Amino acid sequence: MFATPAYVASKHAVTALTRTFGHKFWFEKTGVSVAAVAPYYIATPFLGDWADWTDDPRAQMELKKSAEGKNFLNPDEAALKIFNIFNSQSGSVWLIRPGMMPPFNIPDYRLPQPKIL
């Protein structure tokens, strides 16, 4: 998705916000559990035309090429997969793709912490 940097950045921001507010510190403070879904394209009018995603003709072509021959999620399948994460761990981010059941929990990779001597 290099053709839409702002869109990609917003996806990363949602993941970071989910991991942060999903931490046990915030859950214990608020009682609110936070989880996110990272779906593949869902066949809805929101998807629109690639020209709606960017004004750049070359980027539009790259988006079109990246989606060619791929199955999009239909709204019913997406809803079922989203429903299946309702009881997930707070802070988790779930990848959903067409024909993939169950959704996949994206691991929260953390860098090793430096040892304090």
Side-chain angles (χ1 to χ4, degrees), residues 82-95:
I82 292 167
F83 180 79
N84 281 310
I85 69 141
F86 281 157
N87 289 322
S88 64
Q89 179 179 348
S90 190
S92 58
V93 178
W94 295 85
L95 182 69

Side-chain angles (χ1 to χ4, degrees), residues 1-7 47-64:
M1 295 296 286
F2 63 89
T4 53
Y7 176 77
L47 185 60
D49 187 69
W50 297 123
D52 297 334
W53 289 57
T54 178
D55 293 333
D56 185 295
R58 187 167 170 225
Q60 292 170 13
M61 199 53 120
E62 290 296 333
L63 288 168
K64 184 177 178 182

Side-chain angles (χ1 to χ4, degrees), residues 7-22:
Y7 176 77
V8 172
S10 70
K11 288 283 198 176
H12 285 279
V14 168
T15 297
L17 195 62
T18 300
R19 300 276 194 221
T20 303
F21 276 127

Side-chain angles (χ1 to χ4, degrees), residues 26-66:
W26 290 106
F27 179 74
E28 290 169 359
K29 185 176 178 118
T30 65
V32 175
S33 180
V34 179
V37 175
Y40 188 66
Y41 300 121
I42 300 176
T44 66
F46 175 77
L47 185 60
D49 187 69
W50 297 123
D52 297 334
W53 289 57
T54 178
D55 293 333
D56 185 295
R58 187 167 170 225
Q60 292 170 13
M61 199 53 120
E62 290 296 333
L63 288 168
K64 184 177 178 182
K65 281 190 334 189
S66 75

